[in-house]
Amino acid sequence: MLPALASGAVLVVVGAIAGAPSAESPPRGRAVVVDSASCAGGGFDVVDVDAGGTVTRARLDGCGHAAGQTVDVVVPVGPDGVVQAASTVPDGSSATRLWVALLGLSGVAGGFLAHRLRPRPQATSSADAA
């Protein structure tokens, strides 16, 4: 019975990993650093964000970039006027699949532990019966 359950669990996990929808990457744009801020003061670099031909001035959630440096960012600009560097935002595809695989593995391990720790009937000897 246990091998059948383990095989079924493995098939479910493999199917979930293969069919797990990958999250779409957030839209990205290019930004050119206009003014660099010192990282010691916790400041934000000022960038010009080019998103589909429209240039917007924003603060980059980062510091210490050289003026004139091009940085890939996530667009649109947030309501607070801050953009994130694209390299700091996960795309979600590998993280989701890893989460599903670890969840399935923990379920199989938990089932095996429960099987090993379940109470078993004690063998009685004929001397105990008398």
Side-chain angles (χ1 to χ4, degrees), residues 2-128:
L2 184 63
L5 289 174
S7 300
V10 168
L11 288 175
V12 168
V13 169
V14 169
I17 292 172
S22 59
E24 291 184 22
S25 295
R28 296 167 190 249
R30 293 243 181 221
V32 177
V33 178
V34 176
D35 185 31
S36 180
S38 170
C39 294
F44 294 96
D45 291 345
V46 177
V47 294
D48 284 336
V49 180
D50 181 10
T54 305
V55 178
T56 306
R57 180 136 314 171
R59 294 181 300 150
L60 177 65
D61 190 11
C63 59
H65 294 87
Q69 182 179 357
T70 302
V71 180
D72 290 329
V73 295
V74 176
V75 292
V77 177
D80 54 355
V82 177
V83 292
Q84 286 184 301
S87 61
T88 63
V89 179
D91 62 2
S93 61
S94 61
T96 300
R97 292 179 182 181
L98 178 63
W99 181 85
V100 169
L102 290 176
L103 180 67
L105 182 63
S106 67
V108 170
F112 181 73
L113 182 64
H115 173 72
R116 298 288 295 160
L117 296 178
R118 74 170 197 252
R120 295 197 173 104
Q122 297 295 323
T124 59
S125 66
S126 58
D128 292 338

